[in-house]
Amino acid sequence: MDDLIDRFMEKTKIDEIYEEHIRKGAYLAQDNEAFEDLREDGLRLKPEERNALIMEDPKRGNKWNQPWIMYALVGCCSLGAAVQGWDEVDWPTESSAG
């Protein structure tokens, strides 16, 4: 796994300051319990990272406890999609009405 991460970092030219985050994400993507025990490679989740993962877990967290800006964004995008849908409807005109 480390070899794949190293090749990914080299290929994408991502700055090395993100390497720890990418490694943690890769291990969590493979196994959501990757950080339950102490790891041999020394990677650890910070308390705030662990809490964020607990909040995302449907069994232990609250999926509705999200920042208000996310709900505002979903609402705006929904309104935009509705307006676009109405705009694409082929409305009858006066000249075409019998």
Side-chain angles (χ1 to χ4, degrees):
M1 179 71 136
D2 285 324
D3 204 30
L4 288 171
I5 297 169
D6 291 337
R7 284 189 282 156
F8 173 78
M9 293 290 293
E10 184 178 319
K11 182 179 178 181
T12 58
K13 307 279 192 256
I14 293 177
D15 199 347
E16 289 183 14
I17 61 172
Y18 300 111
E19 182 176 359
E20 182 181 353
H21 298 293
I22 290 174
R23 285 192 186 283
K24 289 177 185 178
Y27 285 116
L28 284 169
Q30 291 292 316
D31 178 14
N32 61 352
E33 296 179 358
F35 292 96
E36 294 297 321
D37 300 321
L38 288 177
R39 296 178 53 86
E40 293 177 11
D41 58 9
L43 269 179
R44 301 197 161 80
L45 291 178
K46 297 174 186 168
E48 55 269 13
E49 293 170 332
R50 190 172 298 279
N51 289 336
L53 287 172
I54 289 171
M55 291 303 293
E56 289 184 8
D57 185 357
K59 295 177 186 150
R60 299 188 292 173
N62 181 1
K63 65 180 176 182
W64 299 108
N65 186 15
Q66 302 295 332
W68 73 269
I69 194 73
M70 187 189 79
Y71 295 110
L73 178 66
V74 169
C76 287
C77 290
S78 299
L79 286 172
V83 168
Q84 181 182 3
W86 278 100
D87 193 38
E88 292 178 4
V89 172
D90 189 21
W91 296 102
T93 60
E94 286 184 36
S95 61
S96 65

